[in-house]
Amino acid sequence: MATRAENTRSRMFDAALQLISEKGFSGTTVDEIVDRAGVAKGTVYYHFAGKAELVEALIAEQLAPLVVHFRTAAAGAYDPMSRIDALIRAELEWIRENRAFAKMLVTELWREDRMWRETLVLLRREIIGFIRDAIDDGVKNGAIRSDIDPDFAASALFGMTVTAALDWLVFDPDKSLEFVAEQVLRLASMAVSA
Amino acid sequence: MATRAENTRSRMFDAALQLISEKGFSGTTVDEIVDRAGVAKGTVYYHFAGKAELVEALIAEQLAPLVVHFRTAAAGAYDPMSRIDALIRAELEWIRENRAFAKMLVTELWREDRMWRETLVLLRREIIGFIRDAIDDGVKNGAIRSDIDPDFAASALFGMTVTAALDWLVFDPDKSLEFVAEQVLRLASMAVSA
Amino acid sequence: MATRAENTRSRMFDAALQLISEKGFSGTTVDEIVDRAGVAKGTVYYHFAGKAELVEALIAEQLAPLVVHFRTAAAGAYDPMSRIDALIRAELEWIRENRAFAKMLVTELWREDRMWRETLVLLRREIIGFIRDAIDDGVKNGAIRSDIDPDFAASALFGMTVTAALDWLVFDPDKSLEFVAEQVLRLASMAVSA
Amino acid sequence: MATRAENTRSRMFDAALQLISEKGFSGTTVDEIVDRAGVAKGTVYYHFAGKAELVEALIAEQLAPLVVHFRTAAAGAYDPMSRIDALIRAELEWIRENRAFAKMLVTELWREDRMWRETLVLLRREIIGFIRDAIDDGVKNGAIRSDIDPDFAASALFGMTVTAALDWLVFDPDKSLEFVAEQVLRLASMAVSA
DNA sequence: AATGAATGAGACTTCATTCAT
DNA sequence: TATGAATGAAGTCTCATTCAT
């Protein structure tokens, strides 16, 4: 049951996420957020200590399900290659469903002066960790070539997928997920397979 | 001969680039720029219409040599696979030498409300075009598999290289360019070769 | 009931009017306005889009009663000559009571680059229209000579009254309204009577 | 023979006069003046101590001929009524030929914080003095009614003429000087004649 | 005699935050 | 639980003036 307060919070989250993905954190004003959310200005400060804390809470709330999403994907496939396949597919799906959030992560990840920077870096490490584990396993059982650095390769595959997905959504949104997934997976599997 | 005005301009460019790569465009104030450049506040407005136009000019001036850099790399190798190799190496080198500018490009490319957005998108398209041409040639002479979309693959390889390079510079700056280049090229060439 | 916001608005209006009548629009700073109004700087921008819009609203709000004032004066006298008399008297009274506003109107009316210029021109036309109508009626019933252009004469009488009134208030404020009115009316009535 | 320096000065005078008549003294920038005059910014400060002094010199240079113009008109007619006639005609002619300057005088005359205010007030007094002297003479010889205050009447006639002339030039520039002069003179002479 | 790059005080405006209701 | 008027520090930008050439 969504209480009145929960509804208000989520309206502010939606508005902030949308705006920040378009104009960045500094480029988005509290006035714009409350306008779009349809609440009064004071309401932000009733619920949060400030603008930064609103975004912090927003990130925290969206991140928990993201990690679960990846964990589930990784758990669903035992074979290393199909696990990589599943993880990349999970990444693409999540980006498609959380386009604004994904854009925000990309533009805010490199900023060194944000209070949530640590959180984002840890998140990235955790997700890349899933891929690296799969690569490790693949190297062990001979499915994956051993002349690549697993950590490096995991981060590169993750980055390739993120940029391909954003390119897709921003510049070529008519392509299907199937096409994009197929292309990315083809490149990724060939890149690492023994 | 560097005139006084040209010298002043370039001092402001350097300061702005450095600061914006650290704190973003909105997060950087004109006061900070002029402090670091060692000029008076009015000087920015004597040379440019405003803060945004300063950055616009900065981007326009830095971009010309970048395209030349890629064109040269592409022209130096006839064989498709070595051309891809040369282009990725050129990308890595350029990012290493222009780290601040590269960070700025990544964080500003996805921003929809910037006057220089168009310029950046065109630049990206031009650079990816070099890679795509090489892939096209490779497909024709059989060196590259024909079941990938050349445009998509070019964009994915470019993105993989950018994120790998930034990861390297931000999280692991002690690695050598040689190691990084070798790893990226290994992944890239396997990803596309027939 | 005067709400808090209305009270704040009118404090800013009073301060702006006083200052602008002394130093002109460009010569008056927002800092001076808020100082005299006893509000914070941001308050101007909470209520208005900017300094110019504050003045625009001020003019719009003060102008409505002015037109009513003239309309009432015109309606109070049926005979054309006494209607002209009443209108000129109304003009003098209003200028005496709204000296600051009158000075502002005179110095801003001829300015071609103000957003409220149109408004002022329309106002002037409306007020002169009252006088012209009285002259028209006087010409018809023979009380006023027919060899003058009614529109021209109305504008001339209006202008004569304004300058005489400002001369009075600025250079000779000790004279009584009665003396000034008597002198102006004597000149005006002789100027037009048959 | 106009020296180079004199030519430069007059170019700056023309530009300043034009701009100030449109936008006022504070509303006109030195940049705009030098742009329109086609000289470099420093040139203003080579010739004058500052922006205000430029205008001061401009006023001083234009005012000498103006007083001569009125003196000549007054001297050309011995009869009081025709002297008033000649003075008003002189006023209209001068305004027509020096429209920008006239507008500037009107908008700057009431400003209490200008260094040239004193000069303008004295000028106004001098010109009105010519008219008042004529009225005095007319009262003495019985041509002009004695129940009006000569000073007041002179100032009122002067003001009527200025506003009628500006109305003419700004709102109805197609009318001929002849028509305007005829109308104004008709009103003025009737207003004061015995 | 003239130039134009550079200055810096001060203008207008923005915006995260506070607080009485 | 929510509001919105008010705040003021900090931002962007303007502009008269200076000065080396």
Side-chain angles (χ1 to χ4, degrees), chain C residues 23-24 103 111-112 124 145 147 149 155 159 163 167 183 186 190, chain D residues 23-24 103 111-112 124 145 147 149 155 163 167 183 186 190:
Chain C
K23 310 147 66 99
K103 256 179 84 180
R111 217 52 140 295
E112 282 157 19
R124 182 185 154 286
R145 46 207 285 229
D147 63 345
D149 181 289
S155 144
T163 50
D167 266 23
Q183 290 285 326
R186 204 165 284 173
M190 294 297 289
Chain D
K23 309 147 65 100
K103 265 178 77 179
R111 208 58 134 285
E112 281 152 21
R124 181 183 156 285
R145 43 206 289 227
D147 62 346
D149 181 291
S155 144
T163 51
D167 266 23
Q183 290 284 326
R186 205 166 283 174
M190 293 296 289

PDB file of all heavy atoms in Angstrom, chain C residues 23-24 103 111-112 124 145 147 149 155 159 163 167 183 186 190, chain D residues 23-24 103 111-112 124 145 147 149 155 163 167 183 186 190:
ATOM      1  N   LYS C  23      16.369  58.888 -10.227  1.00  0.00           N
ATOM      2  CA  LYS C  23      17.605  58.539 -10.923  1.00  0.00           C
ATOM      3  C   LYS C  23      17.380  57.809 -12.228  1.00  0.00           C
ATOM      4  O   LYS C  23      18.344  57.385 -12.876  1.00  0.00           O
ATOM      5  CB  LYS C  23      18.450  57.654  -9.999  1.00  0.00           C
ATOM      6  CG  LYS C  23      18.619  58.222  -8.607  1.00  0.00           C
ATOM      7  CD  LYS C  23      18.707  57.139  -7.534  1.00  0.00           C
ATOM      8  CE  LYS C  23      19.933  56.319  -7.678  1.00  0.00           C
ATOM      9  NZ  LYS C  23      21.024  56.721  -6.760  1.00  0.00           N
ATOM     10  N   GLY C  24      16.139  57.628 -12.607  1.00  0.00           N
ATOM     11  CA  GLY C  24      15.866  56.920 -13.857  1.00  0.00           C
ATOM     12  C   GLY C  24      15.926  55.414 -13.688  1.00  0.00           C
ATOM     13  O   GLY C  24      16.396  54.912 -12.663  1.00  0.00           O
ATOM     14  N   LYS C 103       6.912  62.074 -12.988  1.00  0.00           N
ATOM     15  CA  LYS C 103       8.263  62.324 -13.483  1.00  0.00           C
ATOM     16  C   LYS C 103       8.784  61.113 -14.244  1.00  0.00           C
ATOM     17  O   LYS C 103       9.427  61.237 -15.293  1.00  0.00           O
ATOM     18  CB  LYS C 103       9.196  62.629 -12.312  1.00  0.00           C
ATOM     19  CG  LYS C 103       9.536  64.099 -12.186  1.00  0.00           C
ATOM     20  CD  LYS C 103      10.439  64.374 -11.018  1.00  0.00           C
ATOM     21  CE  LYS C 103      11.898  64.168 -11.311  1.00  0.00           C
ATOM     22  NZ  LYS C 103      12.723  64.461 -10.088  1.00  0.00           N
ATOM     23  N   ARG C 111      11.464  57.104 -24.453  1.00  0.00           N
ATOM     24  CA  ARG C 111      12.473  56.054 -24.599  1.00  0.00           C
ATOM     25  C   ARG C 111      11.949  54.959 -25.506  1.00  0.00           C
ATOM     26  O   ARG C 111      10.885  54.413 -25.262  1.00  0.00           O
ATOM     27  CB  ARG C 111      12.781  55.492 -23.216  1.00  0.00           C
ATOM     28  CG  ARG C 111      14.188  55.132 -23.021  1.00  0.00           C
ATOM     29  CD  ARG C 111      15.099  56.287 -23.393  1.00  0.00           C
ATOM     30  NE  ARG C 111      16.212  56.456 -22.509  1.00  0.00           N
ATOM     31  CZ  ARG C 111      16.122  56.785 -21.228  1.00  0.00           C
ATOM     32  NH1 ARG C 111      14.976  56.961 -20.651  1.00  0.00           N
ATOM     33  NH2 ARG C 111      17.193  56.943 -20.515  1.00  0.00           N
ATOM     34  N   GLU C 112      12.700  54.618 -26.519  1.00  0.00           N
ATOM     35  CA  GLU C 112      12.176  53.676 -27.507  1.00  0.00           C
ATOM     36  C   GLU C 112      12.497  52.222 -27.190  1.00  0.00           C
ATOM     37  O   GLU C 112      12.023  51.322 -27.873  1.00  0.00           O
ATOM     38  CB  GLU C 112      12.738  54.026 -28.896  1.00  0.00           C
ATOM     39  CG  GLU C 112      12.029  55.217 -29.513  1.00  0.00           C
ATOM     40  CD  GLU C 112      12.884  55.922 -30.555  1.00  0.00           C
ATOM     41  OE1 GLU C 112      13.845  55.324 -31.050  1.00  0.00           O
ATOM     42  OE2 GLU C 112      12.575  57.087 -30.878  1.00  0.00           O
ATOM     43  N   ARG C 124      -1.346  57.594 -22.952  1.00  0.00           N
ATOM     44  CA  ARG C 124      -1.339  58.979 -23.394  1.00  0.00           C
ATOM     45  C   ARG C 124      -2.469  59.221 -24.404  1.00  0.00           C
ATOM     46  O   ARG C 124      -3.206  60.198 -24.320  1.00  0.00           O
ATOM     47  CB  ARG C 124       0.022  59.274 -24.029  1.00  0.00           C
ATOM     48  CG  ARG C 124       0.186  60.704 -24.500  1.00  0.00           C
ATOM     49  CD  ARG C 124       1.516  60.881 -25.214  1.00  0.00           C
ATOM     50  NE  ARG C 124       1.443  61.973 -26.153  1.00  0.00           N
ATOM     51  CZ  ARG C 124       0.799  61.901 -27.312  1.00  0.00           C
ATOM     52  NH1 ARG C 124       0.172  60.780 -27.644  1.00  0.00           N
ATOM     53  NH2 ARG C 124       0.762  62.942 -28.107  1.00  0.00           N
ATOM     54  N   ARG C 145     -13.533  77.527 -31.113  1.00  0.00           N
ATOM     55  CA  ARG C 145     -13.256  77.913 -32.498  1.00  0.00           C
ATOM     56  C   ARG C 145     -12.988  76.688 -33.375  1.00  0.00           C
ATOM     57  O   ARG C 145     -12.402  75.699 -32.938  1.00  0.00           O
ATOM     58  CB  ARG C 145     -12.039  78.833 -32.520  1.00  0.00           C
ATOM     59  CG  ARG C 145     -10.907  78.290 -31.650  1.00  0.00           C
ATOM     60  CD  ARG C 145     -10.071  79.431 -31.174  1.00  0.00           C
ATOM     61  NE  ARG C 145      -9.275  79.869 -32.291  1.00  0.00           N
ATOM     62  CZ  ARG C 145      -7.959  80.079 -32.217  1.00  0.00           C
ATOM     63  NH1 ARG C 145      -7.338  79.907 -31.053  1.00  0.00           N
ATOM     64  NH2 ARG C 145      -7.294  80.491 -33.245  1.00  0.00           N
ATOM     65  N   ASP C 147     -11.149  76.604 -36.151  1.00  0.00           N
ATOM     66  CA  ASP C 147      -9.951  76.613 -36.998  1.00  0.00           C
ATOM     67  C   ASP C 147      -8.759  75.925 -36.359  1.00  0.00           C
ATOM     68  O   ASP C 147      -7.617  76.108 -36.791  1.00  0.00           O
ATOM     69  CB  ASP C 147      -9.585  78.056 -37.380  1.00  0.00           C
ATOM     70  CG  ASP C 147      -9.238  78.871 -36.135  1.00  0.00           C
ATOM     71  OD1 ASP C 147      -9.548  78.406 -35.008  1.00  0.00           O
ATOM     72  OD2 ASP C 147      -8.653  79.956 -36.289  1.00  0.00           O
ATOM     73  N   ASP C 149      -7.076  72.104 -35.046  1.00  0.00           N
ATOM     74  CA  ASP C 149      -7.166  70.650 -35.172  1.00  0.00           C
ATOM     75  C   ASP C 149      -7.413  70.081 -33.771  1.00  0.00           C
ATOM     76  O   ASP C 149      -6.560  70.241 -32.879  1.00  0.00           O
ATOM     77  CB  ASP C 149      -5.852  70.125 -35.751  1.00  0.00           C
ATOM     78  CG  ASP C 149      -5.851  68.642 -35.946  1.00  0.00           C
ATOM     79  OD1 ASP C 149      -5.804  67.910 -34.923  1.00  0.00           O
ATOM     80  OD2 ASP C 149      -5.898  68.196 -37.099  1.00  0.00           O
ATOM     81  N   SER C 155      -3.525  67.448 -27.592  1.00  0.00           N
ATOM     82  CA  SER C 155      -2.174  67.045 -27.221  1.00  0.00           C
ATOM     83  C   SER C 155      -1.358  68.243 -26.725  1.00  0.00           C
ATOM     84  O   SER C 155      -0.580  68.135 -25.763  1.00  0.00           O
ATOM     85  CB  SER C 155      -1.524  66.366 -28.426  1.00  0.00           C
ATOM     86  OG  SER C 155      -0.175  66.663 -28.509  1.00  0.00           O
ATOM     87  N   GLY C 159       0.186  68.611 -23.008  1.00  0.00           N
ATOM     88  CA  GLY C 159       1.623  68.841 -22.829  1.00  0.00           C
ATOM     89  C   GLY C 159       1.909  70.112 -22.062  1.00  0.00           C
ATOM     90  O   GLY C 159       2.797  70.139 -21.193  1.00  0.00           O
ATOM     91  N   THR C 163       4.076  70.025 -18.495  1.00  0.00           N
ATOM     92  CA  THR C 163       5.322  70.760 -18.263  1.00  0.00           C
ATOM     93  C   THR C 163       5.132  71.856 -17.229  1.00  0.00           C
ATOM     94  O   THR C 163       6.006  72.068 -16.381  1.00  0.00           O
ATOM     95  CB  THR C 163       5.877  71.350 -19.573  1.00  0.00           C
ATOM     96  OG1 THR C 163       4.837  72.060 -20.238  1.00  0.00           O
ATOM     97  CG2 THR C 163       6.399  70.261 -20.483  1.00  0.00           C
ATOM     98  N   ASP C 167       7.318  71.898 -13.862  1.00  0.00           N
ATOM     99  CA  ASP C 167       8.041  73.126 -13.530  1.00  0.00           C
ATOM    100  C   ASP C 167       7.682  73.587 -12.130  1.00  0.00           C
ATOM    101  O   ASP C 167       8.537  73.929 -11.314  1.00  0.00           O
ATOM    102  CB  ASP C 167       7.637  74.237 -14.510  1.00  0.00           C
ATOM    103  CG  ASP C 167       8.612  74.315 -15.672  1.00  0.00           C
ATOM    104  OD1 ASP C 167       9.280  73.296 -15.936  1.00  0.00           O
ATOM    105  OD2 ASP C 167       8.685  75.389 -16.293  1.00  0.00           O
ATOM    106  N   GLN C 183      -3.895  79.716 -13.504  1.00  0.00           N
ATOM    107  CA  GLN C 183      -3.071  80.202 -14.618  1.00  0.00           C
ATOM    108  C   GLN C 183      -3.187  79.295 -15.843  1.00  0.00           C
ATOM    109  O   GLN C 183      -3.397  79.749 -16.963  1.00  0.00           O
ATOM    110  CB  GLN C 183      -1.603  80.285 -14.167  1.00  0.00           C
ATOM    111  CG  GLN C 183      -1.318  81.377 -13.152  1.00  0.00           C
ATOM    112  CD  GLN C 183      -1.295  82.755 -13.794  1.00  0.00           C
ATOM    113  OE1 GLN C 183      -0.879  82.907 -14.936  1.00  0.00           O
ATOM    114  NE2 GLN C 183      -1.795  83.759 -13.087  1.00  0.00           N
ATOM    115  N   ARG C 186      -6.612  79.544 -17.416  1.00  0.00           N
ATOM    116  CA  ARG C 186      -6.802  80.805 -18.120  1.00  0.00           C
ATOM    117  C   ARG C 186      -6.184  80.713 -19.522  1.00  0.00           C
ATOM    118  O   ARG C 186      -6.817  81.052 -20.523  1.00  0.00           O
ATOM    119  CB  ARG C 186      -6.120  81.917 -17.302  1.00  0.00           C
ATOM    120  CG  ARG C 186      -6.675  83.278 -17.555  1.00  0.00           C
ATOM    121  CD  ARG C 186      -6.222  84.249 -16.485  1.00  0.00           C
ATOM    122  NE  ARG C 186      -6.937  84.092 -15.220  1.00  0.00           N
ATOM    123  CZ  ARG C 186      -6.611  84.738 -14.094  1.00  0.00           C
ATOM    124  NH1 ARG C 186      -5.553  85.537 -14.077  1.00  0.00           N
ATOM    125  NH2 ARG C 186      -7.317  84.573 -12.994  1.00  0.00           N
ATOM    126  N   MET C 190      -8.551  80.432 -23.000  1.00  0.00           N
ATOM    127  CA  MET C 190      -8.416  81.468 -24.010  1.00  0.00           C
ATOM    128  C   MET C 190      -7.894  80.895 -25.323  1.00  0.00           C
ATOM    129  O   MET C 190      -8.267  81.327 -26.415  1.00  0.00           O
ATOM    130  CB  MET C 190      -7.457  82.556 -23.527  1.00  0.00           C
ATOM    131  CG  MET C 190      -7.953  83.349 -22.352  1.00  0.00           C
ATOM    132  SD  MET C 190      -9.444  84.262 -22.786  1.00  0.00           S
ATOM    133  CE  MET C 190      -8.731  85.514 -23.873  1.00  0.00           C
TER     134      MET C 190
ATOM    135  N   LYS D  23      18.225  55.837 -26.113  1.00  0.00           N
ATOM    136  CA  LYS D  23      18.328  54.938 -24.977  1.00  0.00           C
ATOM    137  C   LYS D  23      18.718  55.640 -23.691  1.00  0.00           C
ATOM    138  O   LYS D  23      18.886  54.983 -22.669  1.00  0.00           O
ATOM    139  CB  LYS D  23      19.361  53.852 -25.290  1.00  0.00           C
ATOM    140  CG  LYS D  23      19.135  53.164 -26.624  1.00  0.00           C
ATOM    141  CD  LYS D  23      20.432  52.740 -27.310  1.00  0.00           C
ATOM    142  CE  LYS D  23      21.152  51.702 -26.513  1.00  0.00           C
ATOM    143  NZ  LYS D  23      20.945  50.339 -27.018  1.00  0.00           N
ATOM    144  N   GLY D  24      18.886  56.926 -23.740  1.00  0.00           N
ATOM    145  CA  GLY D  24      19.268  57.641 -22.528  1.00  0.00           C
ATOM    146  C   GLY D  24      20.756  57.565 -22.267  1.00  0.00           C
ATOM    147  O   GLY D  24      21.484  56.778 -22.889  1.00  0.00           O
ATOM    148  N   LYS D 103      15.228  65.591 -27.923  1.00  0.00           N
ATOM    149  CA  LYS D 103      14.752  64.465 -27.118  1.00  0.00           C
ATOM    150  C   LYS D 103      15.660  64.250 -25.917  1.00  0.00           C
ATOM    151  O   LYS D 103      15.208  63.972 -24.803  1.00  0.00           O
ATOM    152  CB  LYS D 103      14.708  63.191 -27.960  1.00  0.00           C
ATOM    153  CG  LYS D 103      13.338  62.926 -28.552  1.00  0.00           C
ATOM    154  CD  LYS D 103      13.340  61.701 -29.411  1.00  0.00           C
ATOM    155  CE  LYS D 103      13.336  60.410 -28.613  1.00  0.00           C
ATOM    156  NZ  LYS D 103      13.312  59.237 -29.523  1.00  0.00           N
ATOM    157  N   ARG D 111      16.528  65.003 -14.661  1.00  0.00           N
ATOM    158  CA  ARG D 111      17.429  64.156 -13.879  1.00  0.00           C
ATOM    159  C   ARG D 111      18.285  65.031 -12.965  1.00  0.00           C
ATOM    160  O   ARG D 111      18.953  65.943 -13.435  1.00  0.00           O
ATOM    161  CB  ARG D 111      18.311  63.383 -14.864  1.00  0.00           C
ATOM    162  CG  ARG D 111      18.748  62.104 -14.336  1.00  0.00           C
ATOM    163  CD  ARG D 111      17.541  61.232 -13.954  1.00  0.00           C
ATOM    164  NE  ARG D 111      17.673  59.893 -14.431  1.00  0.00           N
ATOM    165  CZ  ARG D 111      17.513  59.545 -15.690  1.00  0.00           C
ATOM    166  NH1 ARG D 111      17.204  60.430 -16.604  1.00  0.00           N
ATOM    167  NH2 ARG D 111      17.631  58.309 -16.048  1.00  0.00           N
ATOM    168  N   GLU D 112      18.241  64.726 -11.679  1.00  0.00           N
ATOM    169  CA  GLU D 112      18.922  65.597 -10.731  1.00  0.00           C
ATOM    170  C   GLU D 112      20.386  65.259 -10.489  1.00  0.00           C
ATOM    171  O   GLU D 112      21.089  65.955  -9.778  1.00  0.00           O
ATOM    172  CB  GLU D 112      18.163  65.593  -9.394  1.00  0.00           C
ATOM    173  CG  GLU D 112      16.932  66.486  -9.449  1.00  0.00           C
ATOM    174  CD  GLU D 112      15.846  66.014  -8.485  1.00  0.00           C
ATOM    175  OE1 GLU D 112      16.167  65.285  -7.538  1.00  0.00           O
ATOM    176  OE2 GLU D 112      14.675  66.368  -8.695  1.00  0.00           O
ATOM    177  N   ARG D 124      17.405  76.708 -20.223  1.00  0.00           N
ATOM    178  CA  ARG D 124      15.949  76.787 -20.236  1.00  0.00           C
ATOM    179  C   ARG D 124      15.506  78.164 -19.723  1.00  0.00           C
ATOM    180  O   ARG D 124      14.651  78.837 -20.310  1.00  0.00           O
ATOM    181  CB  ARG D 124      15.382  75.686 -19.340  1.00  0.00           C
ATOM    182  CG  ARG D 124      13.874  75.652 -19.290  1.00  0.00           C
ATOM    183  CD  ARG D 124      13.413  74.574 -18.331  1.00  0.00           C
ATOM    184  NE  ARG D 124      12.076  74.876 -17.836  1.00  0.00           N
ATOM    185  CZ  ARG D 124      11.836  75.808 -16.932  1.00  0.00           C
ATOM    186  NH1 ARG D 124      12.825  76.537 -16.466  1.00  0.00           N
ATOM    187  NH2 ARG D 124      10.594  76.014 -16.531  1.00  0.00           N
ATOM    188  N   ARG D 145      -2.958  90.395 -22.275  1.00  0.00           N
ATOM    189  CA  ARG D 145      -3.745  90.528 -21.057  1.00  0.00           C
ATOM    190  C   ARG D 145      -2.844  90.566 -19.821  1.00  0.00           C
ATOM    191  O   ARG D 145      -1.823  89.881 -19.748  1.00  0.00           O
ATOM    192  CB  ARG D 145      -4.718  89.370 -20.935  1.00  0.00           C
ATOM    193  CG  ARG D 145      -4.063  88.048 -21.301  1.00  0.00           C
ATOM    194  CD  ARG D 145      -5.082  87.081 -21.777  1.00  0.00           C
ATOM    195  NE  ARG D 145      -5.872  86.666 -20.642  1.00  0.00           N
ATOM    196  CZ  ARG D 145      -6.161  85.394 -20.376  1.00  0.00           C
ATOM    197  NH1 ARG D 145      -5.723  84.440 -21.188  1.00  0.00           N
ATOM    198  NH2 ARG D 145      -6.892  85.090 -19.373  1.00  0.00           N
ATOM    199  N   ASP D 147      -3.734  89.639 -16.729  1.00  0.00           N
ATOM    200  CA  ASP D 147      -4.089  88.756 -15.602  1.00  0.00           C
ATOM    201  C   ASP D 147      -3.324  87.428 -15.636  1.00  0.00           C
ATOM    202  O   ASP D 147      -3.723  86.470 -14.978  1.00  0.00           O
ATOM    203  CB  ASP D 147      -5.606  88.500 -15.596  1.00  0.00           C
ATOM    204  CG  ASP D 147      -6.065  87.784 -16.852  1.00  0.00           C
ATOM    205  OD1 ASP D 147      -5.265  87.727 -17.824  1.00  0.00           O
ATOM    206  OD2 ASP D 147      -7.189  87.266 -16.858  1.00  0.00           O
ATOM    207  N   ASP D 149       0.529  85.453 -15.188  1.00  0.00           N
ATOM    208  CA  ASP D 149       1.889  85.591 -14.673  1.00  0.00           C
ATOM    209  C   ASP D 149       2.850  85.414 -15.853  1.00  0.00           C
ATOM    210  O   ASP D 149       2.887  84.336 -16.454  1.00  0.00           O
ATOM    211  CB  ASP D 149       2.109  84.516 -13.604  1.00  0.00           C
ATOM    212  CG  ASP D 149       3.480  84.585 -12.982  1.00  0.00           C
ATOM    213  OD1 ASP D 149       4.467  84.271 -13.694  1.00  0.00           O
ATOM    214  OD2 ASP D 149       3.572  84.938 -11.796  1.00  0.00           O
ATOM    215  N   SER D 155       6.823  79.910 -19.552  1.00  0.00           N
ATOM    216  CA  SER D 155       7.208  78.516 -19.371  1.00  0.00           C
ATOM    217  C   SER D 155       6.154  77.573 -19.930  1.00  0.00           C
ATOM    218  O   SER D 155       6.472  76.545 -20.540  1.00  0.00           O
ATOM    219  CB  SER D 155       7.465  78.273 -17.879  1.00  0.00           C
ATOM    220  OG  SER D 155       7.056  76.990 -17.499  1.00  0.00           O
ATOM    221  N   THR D 163       6.370  69.869 -26.337  1.00  0.00           N
ATOM    222  CA  THR D 163       5.635  68.599 -26.407  1.00  0.00           C
ATOM    223  C   THR D 163       4.901  68.454 -27.727  1.00  0.00           C
ATOM    224  O   THR D 163       4.864  67.364 -28.305  1.00  0.00           O
ATOM    225  CB  THR D 163       4.659  68.454 -25.228  1.00  0.00           C
ATOM    226  OG1 THR D 163       3.860  69.634 -25.149  1.00  0.00           O
ATOM    227  CG2 THR D 163       5.402  68.258 -23.932  1.00  0.00           C
ATOM    228  N   ASP D 167       5.665  65.338 -30.155  1.00  0.00           N
ATOM    229  CA  ASP D 167       4.541  64.531 -30.620  1.00  0.00           C
ATOM    230  C   ASP D 167       4.539  64.455 -32.130  1.00  0.00           C
ATOM    231  O   ASP D 167       4.391  63.390 -32.726  1.00  0.00           O
ATOM    232  CB  ASP D 167       3.220  65.182 -30.175  1.00  0.00           C
ATOM    233  CG  ASP D 167       2.736  64.595 -28.874  1.00  0.00           C
ATOM    234  OD1 ASP D 167       3.572  64.046 -28.127  1.00  0.00           O
ATOM    235  OD2 ASP D 167       1.524  64.675 -28.611  1.00  0.00           O
ATOM    236  N   GLN D 183      -0.751  75.879 -36.142  1.00  0.00           N
ATOM    237  CA  GLN D 183      -1.602  75.421 -35.041  1.00  0.00           C
ATOM    238  C   GLN D 183      -1.075  75.912 -33.689  1.00  0.00           C
ATOM    239  O   GLN D 183      -1.820  76.429 -32.860  1.00  0.00           O
ATOM    240  CB  GLN D 183      -1.677  73.889 -35.042  1.00  0.00           C
ATOM    241  CG  GLN D 183      -2.459  73.301 -36.212  1.00  0.00           C
ATOM    242  CD  GLN D 183      -3.969  73.461 -36.032  1.00  0.00           C
ATOM    243  OE1 GLN D 183      -4.468  73.401 -34.913  1.00  0.00           O
ATOM    244  NE2 GLN D 183      -4.680  73.696 -37.129  1.00  0.00           N
ATOM    245  N   ARG D 186      -1.490  79.678 -33.324  1.00  0.00           N
ATOM    246  CA  ARG D 186      -2.889  80.048 -33.130  1.00  0.00           C
ATOM    247  C   ARG D 186      -3.266  79.867 -31.656  1.00  0.00           C
ATOM    248  O   ARG D 186      -3.824  80.763 -31.019  1.00  0.00           O
ATOM    249  CB  ARG D 186      -3.747  79.139 -34.010  1.00  0.00           C
ATOM    250  CG  ARG D 186      -5.069  79.735 -34.396  1.00  0.00           C
ATOM    251  CD  ARG D 186      -5.704  78.955 -35.516  1.00  0.00           C
ATOM    252  NE  ARG D 186      -5.119  79.232 -36.825  1.00  0.00           N
ATOM    253  CZ  ARG D 186      -5.432  78.577 -37.941  1.00  0.00           C
ATOM    254  NH1 ARG D 186      -6.302  77.573 -37.904  1.00  0.00           N
ATOM    255  NH2 ARG D 186      -4.891  78.903 -39.081  1.00  0.00           N
ATOM    256  N   MET D 190      -3.774  83.207 -29.050  1.00  0.00           N
ATOM    257  CA  MET D 190      -5.068  83.369 -28.419  1.00  0.00           C
ATOM    258  C   MET D 190      -4.948  83.261 -26.902  1.00  0.00           C
ATOM    259  O   MET D 190      -5.667  83.929 -26.146  1.00  0.00           O
ATOM    260  CB  MET D 190      -6.048  82.304 -28.897  1.00  0.00           C
ATOM    261  CG  MET D 190      -6.425  82.417 -30.349  1.00  0.00           C
ATOM    262  SD  MET D 190      -7.314  83.953 -30.668  1.00  0.00           S
ATOM    263  CE  MET D 190      -8.869  83.595 -29.856  1.00  0.00           C
TER     264      MET D 190
END
